[in-house]
Amino acid sequence: MAGQKKCLFLGLLAFLFAKLSTEGKEDEEETCRLLGKFDLNGYVDAKNHSLVIGGMFPVHSRIIPANESVLEPVSAKCEGFNFRGFRWMKTMIHTLKEINERKDILPNVTLGYQIFDNCFSVPKTMEAALVFLTGQEENKPHFRNSTGAYLAGVVGAGGSSLSIAASRLLGLYYLPQVGYASTCFFLSDKYKFPSYIRVVPSDEGQSVAMAELITHFGWVWIGTVASDDDYGKYGVKMFKQHLESYKYCIAFSEVIPKIYSKEKIQKVIDTIEKSTARVIVLYASDLDLGPLVMAIVHHNITGRTWIASEAWITSAALAKPEYFPYFGGTIGFAVSRADIPGLKEFLSDIHPDKDPTDVLTIEFWQTAFNCTWPNSSVPYNTDHRVDVIGQGDRLQAMSDEFCTGQEKLEELQNTYLDVSQLRITNNVRQAVYALAYALDRLSRCEEGHGPYIPGNTCAYIPDFEPWQLMYYMKTLKFTSQNGRKIEINDNGDVAGYYDILNWQLNDGGELTFVKVGRFMHVGDKHELVMEKGAILFWNTELSELPNSVCTEVCQPGTRKGIRQGEPVCCFDCIPCAEGYVSEEPDQRECTECGEDYWSNAQKNKCVLKEVEFLAYDEALGFTLVTLSVFGALMVMAVMLVYVTHRHTPLLSASDRLLSFLIQASLVITLLSSMLFIGKPHNWSCVTRQMALALGFALCLSCILGKTTTLFLAYRISKSKTRLLSMRPLYRKTMVLTSVLVEIGICTAYLVWEPPRAYKNIDNRNVRIFLECDEGSVEFLCTMFGLDVFLALLCFLTSFVSRQLPDNYYEGKCITFGMLVFFIVWISFVPAYLSTKGKFKVAVEIFAILASSYGLLGCLFLPKCFIILLRPQRNTEETVGGRVPAVDRSIQLTSASVSSELNNTTVSTVLND
C-alpha cells in the first residue's frame, strides 16, 4: 500500500509538471487547474523587494507516514523538529537583511526571500522546487512564484539527495542553485546538473582526506556505514576507491535505511559487533544517524574509533556527554569555522507572540521548553516511528504543561543558539552572498562591454534570464567576511579545506570539538597536517592508538601468505626459510642472504656465516693429532727395536732395508694426517696430498717387494723347479720405479692444476667451510689410483703365498694387513661423500690413521712380539727351519725354504 501511495504521489507531481510545462496560446483559456496545494511551511518576505531568493532547509527530520486507508495522494506533514536546520533557515534571513543594509552590494536592489522546510525528504524538496518555479496558482513556469517577485536563485536544499532531486528540476530552466551542505561529487557533473554550484567542498576531497588520515595512523582494516542516499553511497564509493589505491581493505560496508527498519538496523549492529575492524567510517547526516546511535548505545558497543564525515562531526544532537563512552575520540572533517557578527542576537529575537501564525516558531518554542503553546494546533513532540530500541509502540507524547511565554532563551543549551561551531551555518551565509555578488556583478554591467553576443550586451535587474545570471555564477570570485577566498571552478566547486576535529571531554564534563589538524585539497594536490599530541583520547581500553587489522602485522622473520578468497589484509605469517630473512615487519617476501651470510635464528637479520675447519684446539682435532703422533711414536719404537735387534736371525732373514722403508713411510703417512688439521692454506693443501700419496706409494711398493719374494718362494715350492731367486737389487728397483712414477704423477698434478684452499659458500650451508679444492680430479684419481694398484698387487701376491710353511706366517700377516687396508678405504668412500665440513676432513684423517695402524699392527707387531717376548723362537734353527726332534711341531720358515725333492735344495735366503 505504501508503494502505491508513493507512485500516486509521484504521478501527481509528474502530471502537475507536465501541465505547467505546456505553453498554451495567449487567447486560449486555461485548461488545467491544481487539485490541491502542497503543505509547505516556511517564511516569505517578498513585498517591496526587487528580487526574491529561495531557500530550502531541513527544519524537520522526516515526513509522517501517509495513512494507508486514504487512496487519494496528499501532501505529507512533517515531524521531528531540527534545531540545527532551523538555525540555518534563520541565518539565511539574517544574511539577506545584512546585504540589504550594505551599500557596496546591490545598492539599488533589495532582496526578499521565500524559504521552505523540505523536512529532509525528497518529496518535500520536489514540492518546494515546483512552488519556486510556478507558485501554487500558476499553470506554467515563469520564475515569479506566488509572491509575484522575480526569483533570482535558490539556496539549498541541504543533503545531497535533496539537492540532486531539486537540481534535476531547477536545472531544466537553468535556474541557479547554490548548495551549502551537499557534498556528493555526483553534483559536479555539469551535464546533468548545469545550474548547480556550491560553497562546500566536494566529497572527492573529503574521501581523499579520509584515506590520507587512515594511512597516517596505519589502519588497514576499515568498516564503512553509509546512509541509504546519494550522499552516503557515492561518498563511500569514492572513499573505497582511494583506500584501495593504498592497498587497504574494507572489512564491511553497511547501509542505514532512510525509512526506519528494526531488522536493518540490527543487521548493521551485528556486523559492527562481529567485525575485527576497530575503525569505522560513518558517511551520513546527523538526522540519518539517530536510530543507529541509539542502537549502539542500547547494545553498549564501545572500543570503536569513528571517522566522521562533515555532515555530523559537529552535530550537537550527537555530540552529547552521555554518548562519549561510545563515540568519544571520534575524528572527523569539518568545513571552515567562522564567527557571524550579530547572528546570536538575531537568533535570540524570537517569540511566538510576535506572529501567532508562525507555526515553526511555535513548534520551536514547544520543543525547546517542553511545553504546549496555548490555543495552538501545532503538535508537540509527536513521533510516528517505531521505537529504535525495539519496544515496538508508537510514541505520542503531549506535554501536560502549557507554555507561559515567559520562558527565557538564554537559559537554553541547545543547537539552535550554539554559535561556537558555525560551519554549515557559515556556508549558508556564503551561499546567499554568492548569489548576491553574482547579482551585483550583473547589475554593474556596462552596455557594449557585456558578456553576451552579439553586441556585448548586458542583462538587467529584474528582467534577466536565469542563464545570464549563471554566467556570473560560474566565474565568481569573492572574499568572505572572515577573509576566506571563495572561487568557483568549472565544475561549480570550491577548493577543499577541512578542519580535522576530535571529540574530547573538557574539565567540566562537556564534549568539545578540538582541532587536531587540517587538510587542503586543490585540484590534484592535497596536504594533510596533523598536530602532534593533540589527540588526548582514544576509545580503547588503554586509551592508545587503536590497531585495526584483519591479521596482526607479520613480525620480522616472517612473510605474508595470502589466504585464498579473502582480502589482501587477511593473511598468514609464514616463517622465512633457512638463508632468507625479512628485516622489516609486514613484508610480502623474504630476502635471500648473500653468499657470506646466513639467517639468524629469528630470521630477521643476515649474519656472517661461521667459518668452519678442523682446528687443533677442538676436541676432535686434538684427538686426531694425538693418534697421529702416537702412531708415529709407535712406528719409531718398532724401528728402534729393529735397529737394536737387526742382527737377530728373525730380522736377518728378512729384507731389513724394505722394513725400514716401510716404517719410514708409515711415519710419513701418520704425520701427513696432521696437515689435514688446521686452517687450510695453499701450501698445506698441496703438501698433504703429495705426502700422503708418496708415503703410501713407498709403503706399498716395499710391501710389494716382500710379497713378490714370498710369491716366488711359493711358486718354487709348488713347481719343484729351480727358479732364479728374487735378488735385493730387483726389489729395490721395483720400489724405486714405483716411487718415481708417483713422483712424476705428482709433479704433473702440481704443474697442471694443483690443489688450493677455498671457501665453500654453498647457500644451503649455515657455515662457510674452509676446504681444499683438489684441483684436477683426473690427476688426483691417477695419483691415488697408482697406490690402489700397488695395494691390489700386494694383496694378490700375499694371498697366494699365505700357505707357505713358515714359523712366522709373514705371508698371512701381510694378507691381513692388506685386508685391513682395503676395508678401511672402501668404507671411507661412502662416509666421505655423506659428510661435509670438518667432519669430512676427520673421516679422511681417520682412514689414513686406521690404514696406517692396520699395516703397522699386521706387519711389525708379531715380529716385535717374538723378538721381545719370545726370544727362544728367534734362533737360527727355528728361523732357518732346523728344528730339534723334541719340537717337530715348529714348521719351516719362509725365510729359508728347503726342499729335498730330488736331493736338490732351493735356497731363497734373503741376503742383505
Side-chain angles (χ1 to χ4, degrees):
M1 183 63 71
Q4 294 177 354
K5 293 292 185 181
K6 184 176 181 181
C7 291
L8 287 172
F9 180 72
L10 293 177
L12 173 63
L13 290 178
F15 173 77
L16 176 62
F17 180 72
K19 288 296 183 182
L20 294 177
S21 300
T22 303
E23 295 185 2
K25 296 180 180 180
E26 293 183 359
D27 298 334
E28 191 175 343
E29 294 183 358
E30 296 181 2
T31 58
C32 66
R33 63 183 179 86
L34 296 176
L35 298 178
K37 291 188 176 182
F38 298 130
D39 187 0
L40 292 171
N41 292 318
Y43 294 100
V44 178
D45 181 13
K47 293 181 179 180
N48 303 320
H49 292 294
S50 307
L51 297 173
V52 171
I53 294 179
M56 289 183 280
F57 298 93
V59 180
H60 288 85
S61 60
R62 56 193 172 271
I63 58 176
I64 300 174
N67 189 347
E68 297 180 357
S69 62
V70 180
L71 297 179
E72 183 178 350
V74 294
S75 181
K77 294 186 178 296
C78 303
E79 64 180 359
F81 195 86
N82 179 18
F83 290 103
R84 195 180 186 200
F86 191 53
R87 184 182 66 205
W88 296 345
M89 179 181 285
K90 288 289 188 177
T91 301
M92 179 176 174
I93 298 173
H94 174 263
T95 304
L96 287 171
K97 289 185 176 181
E98 180 182 288
I99 293 173
N100 288 334
E101 293 173 358
R102 294 180 61 168
K103 301 301 181 181
D104 57 333
I105 301 177
L106 298 172
N108 299 318
V109 177
T110 59
L111 301 177
Y113 55 84
Q114 185 172 26
I115 305 174
F116 292 120
D117 172 20
N118 61 17
C119 303
F120 198 65
S121 65
V122 172
K124 284 295 179 183
T125 302
M126 295 297 290
E127 291 178 10
L130 286 170
V131 171
F132 285 138
L133 291 174
T134 66
Q136 299 205 51
E137 295 84 16
E138 312 296 336
N139 68 343
K140 61 181 179 180
H142 57 16
F143 313 119
R144 292 191 182 276
N145 59 68
S146 58
T147 65
Y150 195 86
L151 180 68
V154 176
V155 173
S160 295
S161 295
L162 309 181
S163 293
I164 289 174
S167 185
R168 290 189 185 278
L169 187 56
L170 300 176
L172 293 175
Y173 301 95
Y174 221 58
L175 185 67
Q177 179 185 357
V178 185
Y180 57 87
S182 302
T183 59
C184 179
F185 83 100
F186 197 53
L187 288 164
S188 299
D189 188 344
K190 295 300 104 178
Y191 179 78
K192 295 180 179 179
F193 308 100
S195 64
Y196 184 85
I197 64 172
R198 52 188 162 189
V199 293
V200 61
S202 166
D203 278 338
E204 182 177 2
Q206 185 171 203
S207 299
V208 174
M210 286 184 173
E212 288 285 338
L213 179 70
I214 287 170
T215 304
H216 174 79
F217 289 111
W219 298 320
V220 298
W221 190 234
I222 311 300
T224 64
V225 179
S227 56
D228 190 14
D229 54 18
D230 294 320
Y231 172 72
K233 290 186 291 186
Y234 285 111
V236 166
K237 179 182 177 181
M238 291 204 65
F239 167 71
K240 288 180 179 179
Q241 292 175 352
H242 290 295
L243 196 65
E244 288 173 358
S245 65
Y246 295 102
K247 297 183 179 180
Y248 291 169
C249 304
I250 300 297
F252 62 86
S253 189
E254 293 293 335
V255 176
I256 305 172
K258 294 294 287 186
I259 300 176
Y260 176 76
S261 169
K262 176 184 176 182
E263 293 74 17
K264 293 181 179 179
I265 291 293
Q266 187 60 45
K267 179 178 179 293
V268 177
I269 293 297
D270 292 340
T271 302
I272 294 174
E273 284 185 319
K274 295 177 181 177
S275 177
T276 57
R278 290 296 176 265
V279 177
I280 303 173
V281 172
L282 270 180
Y283 234 113
S285 67
D286 55 345
L287 300 179
D288 287 326
L289 280 179
L292 179 64
V293 169
M294 294 184 67
I296 288 174
V297 173
H298 177 68
H299 289 82
N300 194 28
I301 298 177
T302 58
R304 292 348 185 247
T305 296
W306 305 92
I307 306 299
S309 63
E310 88 324 311
W312 68 275
I313 182 63
T314 58
S315 171
L318 301 180
K320 298 179 179 179
E322 54 266 31
Y323 293 158
F324 190 80
Y326 315 96
F327 289 89
T330 293
I331 303 176
F333 299 88
V335 296
S336 300
R337 177 189 172 278
D339 293 322
I340 302 178
L343 178 61
K344 187 169 184 179
E345 292 76 11
F346 179 80
L347 295 176
S348 301
D349 186 19
I350 182 174
H351 199 282
D353 287 336
K354 291 186 176 182
D355 185 0
T357 62
D358 186 355
V359 296
L360 292 180
T361 299
I362 293 174
E363 188 174 358
F364 162 77
W365 201 271
Q366 291 182 152
T367 307
F369 294 106
N370 193 23
C371 61
T372 300
W373 190 257
N375 303 320
S376 173
S377 60
V378 177
Y380 165 75
N381 195 23
T382 303
D383 195 337
H384 290 80
R385 297 178 303 165
V386 176
D387 184 19
V388 295
I389 301 178
Q391 296 174 355
D393 57 339
R394 295 180 183 271
L395 302 179
Q396 293 284 348
M398 296 295 293
S399 175
D400 295 331
E401 297 181 1
F402 285 96
C403 303
T404 63
Q406 302 301 318
E407 293 84 5
K408 295 181 180 180
L409 285 174
E410 55 269 19
E411 296 178 356
L412 284 178
Q413 292 183 353
N414 62 12
T415 309
Y416 175 72
L417 292 175
D418 183 7
V419 295
S420 62
Q421 295 290 330
L422 298 181
R423 299 178 185 274
I424 301 299
T425 304
N426 183 58
N427 285 347
V428 173
R429 175 184 171 88
Q430 302 308 328
V432 176
Y433 263 102
L435 283 169
Y437 276 114
L439 289 169
D440 183 66
R441 289 183 59 194
L442 183 148
S443 67
R444 297 177 186 275
C445 178
E446 297 181 3
E447 195 64 35
H449 299 281
Y452 311 116
I453 298 174
N456 294 334
T457 59
C458 296
Y460 298 96
I461 294 176
D463 188 18
F464 63 89
E465 296 294 331
W467 63 268
Q468 293 175 320
L469 180 60
M470 275 302 302
Y471 170 82
Y472 294 98
M473 297 293 295
K474 291 190 297 184
T475 58
L476 187 62
K477 297 180 182 179
F478 67 95
T479 302
S480 64
Q481 286 67 28
N482 60 349
R484 179 189 170 196
K485 293 183 179 180
I486 297 177
E487 179 178 352
I488 308 296
N489 62 21
D490 295 336
N491 294 326
D493 295 328
V494 295
Y497 179 89
Y498 296 96
D499 290 336
I500 302 176
L501 304 182
N502 179 229
W503 285 14
Q504 299 180 15
L505 280 181
N506 59 20
D507 296 337
E510 295 295 326
L511 197 151
T512 59
F513 308 117
V514 179
K515 182 179 178 181
V516 295
R518 67 181 186 275
F519 180 82
M520 286 288 296
H521 183 267
V522 180
D524 296 332
K525 299 180 180 180
H526 58 266
E527 179 185 16
L528 176 73
V529 178
M530 296 295 295
E531 298 178 9
K532 294 183 179 180
I535 299 179
L536 304 177
F537 176 82
W538 295 102
N539 198 0
T540 56
E541 292 183 0
L542 301 177
S543 190
E544 296 178 346
L545 180 70
N547 185 26
S548 186
V549 295
C550 177
T551 305
E552 291 295 334
V553 175
C554 289
Q555 297 302 314
T558 62
R559 64 177 179 86
K560 296 197 297 187
I562 298 175
R563 294 179 184 173
Q564 294 296 330
E566 297 189 29
V568 295
C569 298
C570 301
F571 46 82
D572 296 316
C573 295
I574 303 173
C576 294
E578 295 290 340
Y580 290 79
V581 297
S582 59
E583 298 183 355
E584 301 294 332
D586 209 30
Q587 284 191 293
R588 180 69 66 180
E589 298 293 340
C590 297
T591 305
E592 186 177 7
C593 294
E595 291 183 343
D596 292 342
Y597 293 85
W598 193 252
S599 56
N600 59 1
Q602 293 77 24
K603 307 294 179 58
N604 59 4
K605 188 177 182 181
C606 288
V607 295
L608 281 171
K609 291 181 178 179
E610 296 181 10
V611 178
E612 182 179 278
F613 57 89
L614 187 58
Y616 289 101
D617 55 356
E618 58 181 303
L620 181 59
F622 180 77
T623 301
L624 294 176
V625 169
T626 302
L627 292 175
S628 177
V629 174
F630 179 73
L633 292 176
M634 285 187 61
V635 174
M636 292 180 182
V638 171
M639 188 180 296
L640 180 62
V641 172
Y642 267 56
V643 171
T644 305
H645 299 84
R646 64 184 180 280
H647 298 297
T648 60
L650 185 60
L651 296 183
S652 298
S654 62
D655 195 327
R656 287 174 294 186
L657 179 59
L658 292 182
S659 297
F660 286 129
L661 289 176
I662 293 172
Q663 293 166 7
S665 64
L666 290 178
V667 172
I668 294 173
T669 57
L670 287 167
L671 295 180
S672 68
S673 64
M674 297 177 62
L675 297 174
F676 288 81
I677 305 174
K679 184 177 181 180
H681 298 281
N682 289 339
W683 66 267
S684 62
C685 292
V686 172
T687 304
R688 69 185 188 181
Q689 296 293 357
M690 300 301 106
L692 182 62
L694 291 174
F696 275 126
L698 177 61
C699 177
L700 294 173
S701 61
C702 292
I703 295 175
L704 181 62
K706 282 180 172 287
T707 57
T708 303
T709 302
L710 297 176
F711 175 76
L712 293 177
Y714 175 76
R715 296 295 296 167
I716 291 172
S717 65
K718 293 295 185 181
S719 63
K720 300 180 181 181
T721 304
R722 175 179 291 276
L723 297 176
L724 183 63
S725 62
M726 187 68 173
R727 298 182 180 276
L729 179 60
Y730 299 155
R731 296 194 294 272
K732 295 178 177 61
T733 302
M734 181 184 299
V735 172
L736 182 61
T737 302
S738 300
V739 173
L740 289 177
V741 171
E742 188 71 45
I743 292 174
I745 297 173
C746 292
T747 302
Y749 184 17
L750 294 177
V751 173
W752 184 262
E753 191 174 354
R756 59 182 179 83
Y758 88 108
K759 294 190 298 183
N760 186 348
I761 53 176
D762 186 351
N763 287 341
R764 295 170 297 176
N765 295 333
V766 182
R767 300 176 178 84
I768 297 177
F769 299 125
L770 291 183
E771 299 176 347
C772 288
D773 182 2
E774 305 303 342
S776 175
V777 179
E778 293 80 7
F779 276 109
L780 182 68
C781 293
T782 302
M783 186 173 63
F784 285 102
L786 178 60
D787 293 337
V788 173
F789 177 71
L790 292 176
L792 184 61
L793 290 179
C794 292
F795 174 72
L796 292 176
T797 53
S798 64
F799 180 78
V800 171
S801 59
R802 72 188 185 283
Q803 297 178 351
L804 184 66
D806 193 347
N807 287 341
Y808 168 58
Y809 305 110
E810 188 172 20
K812 294 181 180 180
C813 292
I814 295 176
T815 301
F816 282 118
M818 298 314 299
L819 281 174
V820 172
F821 185 86
F822 276 109
I823 291 172
V824 169
W825 286 102
I826 290 174
S827 302
F828 159 78
V829 174
Y832 183 81
L833 296 178
S834 62
T835 55
K836 60 183 179 180
K838 64 182 180 181
F839 298 103
K840 193 173 186 178
V841 177
V843 168
E844 188 172 1
I845 296 173
F846 178 79
I848 296 170
L849 295 178
S851 58
S852 300
Y853 272 102
L855 292 176
L856 175 64
C858 294
L859 296 181
F860 298 107
L861 291 186
K863 287 186 178 181
C864 291
F865 177 78
I866 295 174
I867 293 172
L868 298 177
L869 302 179
R870 296 290 186 270
Q872 65 275 15
R873 295 180 58 185
N874 189 9
T875 60
E876 293 184 0
E877 292 79 7
T878 303
V879 175
R882 295 182 293 276
V883 185
V886 296
D887 195 8
R888 292 295 182 183
S889 62
I890 300 177
Q891 299 179 0
L892 298 176
T893 178
S894 59
S896 181
V897 181
S898 299
S899 176
E900 295 182 2
L901 296 176
N902 299 325
N903 296 322
T904 303
T905 301
V906 180
S907 177
T908 59
V909 177
L910 304 179
N911 299 319
D912 291 335

